[in-house]
Amino acid sequence: MTEQATQPPTVLEGKGLRVRRGGVIVLDVPSVSIIEGEVLGLIGPNGAGKTTLLQTLSYLLKPVSGELYFRGTRVGSDVPVLEFRRRLAMVFQEPLLFDTTVFQNVASGLKIRGMKRSESDGVVAEQLERFGISHLSGRSARRLSGGEAQRVSLARAFATRPEILFLDEPFASVDQPSSEALIEDLQVVLRKTRTTAILATHDRTEALRLSDRLAVMMDGRILQVGSPDAVMNHPADEFIASFVGVETILTGKVVSRDSPSFLASVGGHEIEAVGDALPGETVHLCIRPENVSLSTNLQRDATSMRNVFSAKIEKITPIGLYQRVALDCGFPLVSFVTTHSVEALSLREGKEVTASFKATAIHVLRKNR
């Protein structure tokens, strides 16, 4: 008989959480939970309600209705709010540091909790080393760069050994090189310490690098919760698809079906996708740009791809490590390719190419079920 894996316990659970501002409901979350040892990423555009939910879950903001349960006990009755908050730590977008030295800032949370100096000094030194700021120990917090200040905020938070760490857009005010290094270091620390954390961010790349689960938010509601793979590759609707980086969303009508795939007519072209859609249904076909291949001489019978189309390059735009290639196939299509591929294929605006993508690479949203 094989042993069943033990499910990690739920650390924090919110039920029926609603927040009202100016008579308007700005947060309406029937249920949300955070599992021991995981990082839950709250993602969505600015104004989606991420910070409001973060503040509600940490009880910095009291909901007009709903309840919070910390390790199965109700916050505010079974466990006092102050005791609950002392078991948490928060890192905000703007570092909130005292006008003292870096060492004293990192030690401040331990001092508030009554830890003896002889014990706290070692804890502080460990966190300074962990975040690479030991050399700043005696420097005034007022003389730090944005990245250094945020490292101090993180070191202070981890020094208290929080049972849940709340991160509210922690990299938004940091320049990109500092942000990259900070994310990498935080990722290592979170995995090493197995700290339970909730991260609010509008940057899906940050969320993907740090999160075990994602919760997509809009208008104060959670639209979808799941693993990064599930949310990125199987978005629940068009808004989520667009937000998580699906550059091409095509609307078509199913014209035929040959299980497990079907053909949908889009702009006079037939696209093959895998799914349960039936003839006559309207579907949205979501195609991620990294799944679209480009060639200058590809023949239909020379590839395993089921969807092969002649295309004209409309625009090439550099985006980080990739080039975004906008195509006209009789329908719009976007591909991400490397700069090397652009050079090797001599890609340029106006050039005719062949675009191809697998039927299995299409995420199908059915509209008429």
Side-chain angles (χ1 to χ4, degrees), residues 7 10 41 57 61 114 151 163 186 210 250 253 259 330 365:
Q7 176 69 28
T10 297
L57 290 174
L61 186 63
R151 285 179 178 274
E163 293 184 54
L186 178 58
L210 294 169
L250 304 171
K253 180 163 286 190
S259 184
L365 294 172

Side-chain angles (χ1 to χ4, degrees), residues 15 43 67 87 158 191 196 210 220 233 271 310 315:
K15 296 181 179 180
I43 63 172
E67 296 174 335
R87 296 163 79 173
F158 276 95
R191 295 295 178 263
T196 305
L210 294 169
N233 294 309
I271 296 178
S310 297
K315 190 173 184 179

